[in-house]
Amino acid sequence: SNNVPCHLLIKRRILILISNWVNIKLSEENRVLIYQLVCKCLEQNENLVIRLQASLTLKAVLDDVHFVKESYLPYLNFHFGLLCQLLKEVEDCDTKIKVLSVLSFLIERVDIHIRPFCTQLADYLPFLWQESADHNMLRCSIVTAFHHMVKSFGAQSVNYHSFLIPVIHYSTDANNPASVYLLEDGLELWNITVQNSTEMSMNLLQLFSNIKPLLD
């Protein structure tokens, strides 16, 4: 058992080294090996520290200028599902923000290809929103995640208006003290939601009551 901390330290250092090495010159063959390694390191039976570092390593690989979407797609379902599970398991607010930022970045990188897999996150975020009433920075991350989801889902995002519109209203209400933190992200979400709506519904129109106080 004394070898366990050393083993975890080495594994974490390897993941960090991969993150730093990606942007130098990573062959397509090795890129696929890293996708497989991340799958293994994100599994639930792995140490939490390793899982968190694996999520950050994945973000570094996705952020590489040589990232090829087509070769990554076979691993999308596995990575996304494991990241969603990790988001649900971690309890610390800052840690949730980090994992959610990786999920948001992943959604942004694969765009419409996330549609078949995104339901589990979309269903969890309203619950997380309710649980994060005292954590405005986490709520900012939730708003950002939904921004990327709406962009990826396009017109299909109308299915989430029942949650999105109250969040937009809350985030852009000048009388709400939390708007100091949420306003910018809330306006971005409002904009992308309107752009991808099939009609200007009454609920969307009611959001415009927030405009005059903001302009004032």
Side-chain angles (χ1 to χ4, degrees):
S1 60
N2 291 334
N3 293 327
V4 174
C6 182
H7 169 71
L8 294 177
L9 178 61
I10 293 173
K11 187 179 287 189
R12 180 172 180 268
R13 289 293 182 183
I14 291 173
L15 288 168
I16 293 173
L17 182 60
I18 290 173
S19 300
N20 295 331
W21 169 58
V22 166
N23 291 319
I24 298 175
K25 186 62 177 178
L26 180 63
S27 68
E28 190 61 28
E29 181 182 358
N30 285 330
R31 188 179 298 273
V32 171
L33 290 176
I34 292 175
Y35 294 152
Q36 295 171 357
L37 175 64
V38 168
C39 278
K40 187 69 176 176
C41 292
L42 281 173
E43 290 179 351
Q44 283 184 270
N45 59 353
E46 184 59 85
N47 179 273
L48 182 59
V49 173
I50 300 303
R51 293 167 71 191
L52 290 171
Q53 184 57 55
S55 70
L56 299 177
T57 298
L58 176 61
K59 186 177 182 181
V61 178
L62 297 176
D63 199 21
D64 180 26
V65 67
H66 300 293
F67 169 74
V68 179
K69 187 187 303 181
E70 287 70 24
S71 63
Y72 173 70
L73 292 180
Y75 302 92
L76 173 58
N77 184 26
F78 299 102
H79 288 165
F80 193 80
L82 291 168
L83 285 168
C84 286
Q85 186 60 42
L86 180 60
L87 177 65
K88 294 176 183 179
E89 288 184 28
V90 296
E91 297 180 359
D92 179 71
C93 180
D94 289 340
T95 306
K96 281 189 178 292
I97 290 173
K98 288 180 180 179
V99 177
L100 195 50
S101 72
V102 177
L103 281 162
S104 292
F105 191 77
L106 175 55
I107 295 170
E108 183 179 16
R109 291 297 270 169
V110 301
D111 197 29
I112 62 173
H113 298 285
I114 200 63
R115 292 180 182 179
F117 316 115
C118 213
T119 302
Q120 55 186 317
L121 179 62
D123 290 344
Y124 175 65
L125 288 184
F127 169 79
L128 185 59
W129 177 269
Q130 296 298 327
E131 293 291 302
S132 61
D134 298 325
H135 302 284
N136 287 314
M137 297 312 296
L138 177 54
R139 284 194 160 184
C140 287
S141 297
I142 295 171
V143 173
T144 299
F146 259 109
H147 175 273
H148 292 302
M149 288 173 58
V150 169
K151 186 176 180 181
S152 297
F153 272 95
Q156 295 180 22
S157 62
V158 297
N159 295 326
Y160 298 104
H161 277 197
S162 60
F163 171 72
L164 287 174
I165 293 177
V167 167
I168 294 170
H169 186 278
Y170 179 86
S171 302
T172 59
D173 181 0
N175 295 317
N176 176 15
S179 65
V180 173
Y181 303 93
L182 298 169
L183 178 58
E184 184 174 353
D185 294 319
L187 287 171
E188 291 287 347
L189 180 58
W190 188 352
N191 182 39
I192 200 73
T193 299
V194 170
Q195 287 180 18
N196 289 280
S197 296
T198 54
E199 63 179 4
M200 185 55 69
S201 66
M202 184 58 65
N203 287 334
L204 279 172
L205 285 172
Q206 288 175 349
L207 286 175
F208 285 87
S209 62
N210 285 355
I211 290 293
K212 187 177 184 302
L214 289 176
L215 292 176
D216 290 342

